[in-house]
Amino acid sequence: MPPEQVFKTLVAIGDRNGPCFAVIPANTELSLKALAAASGNRKVHLASLKEVLPLTGYERGSVTVIGARKPFPVYVDEIVELFDQIAVSAGAKGAQVILETADYIEFSAATVA
């Protein structure tokens, strides 16, 4: 798959609304300012290495919305709509799963508490 069709899941923590997932193309960088605006926070920061595992149940580099320890809000880059299928982490470093984009979006929306 082209790099823009492979998505990484990052964990961020907002100053008002707490943790959330940001799902972005693997070849891009997260705009903390854009995520803060989308999530209703003034500021967000990426979770530290020691915070990722307790929050998600996954080690850094293997984070995925699928099967996460808690159902935090999920913010998916809108570029995802350009693809019928995407690849996301399968919960282990270096392991990817290919999913129908519509199914991933539906699942991600359902995980929000």
Side-chain angles (χ1 to χ4, degrees), residues 10-13 19-20 45-52 55-56 60:
L10 304 172
V11 182
I13 301 173
C20 65
H45 67 274
L46 290 178
S48 70
L49 185 58
K50 68 180 184 179
E51 293 172 308
V52 172
L55 286 171
T56 67
R60 181 175 163 217

Side-chain angles (χ1 to χ4, degrees), residues 48-81:
S48 70
L49 185 58
K50 68 180 184 179
E51 293 172 308
V52 172
L53 182 61
L55 286 171
T56 67
Y58 295 108
E59 292 183 19
R60 181 175 163 217
S62 62
V63 174
T64 181
V65 172
I66 302 165
R69 183 169 282 163
K70 295 180 183 176
F72 299 126
V74 181
Y75 298 91
V76 182
D77 190 305
E78 62 189 10
I79 196 171
V80 75
E81 295 176 3

Side-chain angles (χ1 to χ4, degrees), residues 15-107:
D15 63 341
R16 292 182 177 170
N17 299 315
C20 65
F21 292 108
V23 183
I24 63 173
N27 63 345
T28 64
E29 286 189 35
L30 177 63
S31 167
L32 295 175
K33 187 175 181 178
L35 180 59
S39 63
N41 289 289
R42 284 177 288 149
K43 291 182 179 181
V44 297
H45 67 274
L46 290 178
S48 70
L49 185 58
K50 68 180 184 179
E51 293 172 308
V52 172
L53 182 61
L55 286 171
T56 67
Y58 295 108
E59 292 183 19
R60 181 175 163 217
S62 62
V63 174
T64 181
V65 172
I66 302 165
R69 183 169 282 163
K70 295 180 183 176
F72 299 126
V74 181
Y75 298 91
V76 182
D77 190 305
E78 62 189 10
I79 196 171
V80 75
E81 295 176 3
L82 298 176
F83 308 107
D84 292 331
Q85 295 181 326
I86 59 169
V88 297
S89 176
K93 286 186 180 186
Q96 300 288 315
V97 62
I98 298 172
L99 301 168
E100 297 295 318
T101 302
D103 292 340
Y104 183 76
I105 296 296
E106 184 179 328
F107 177 82

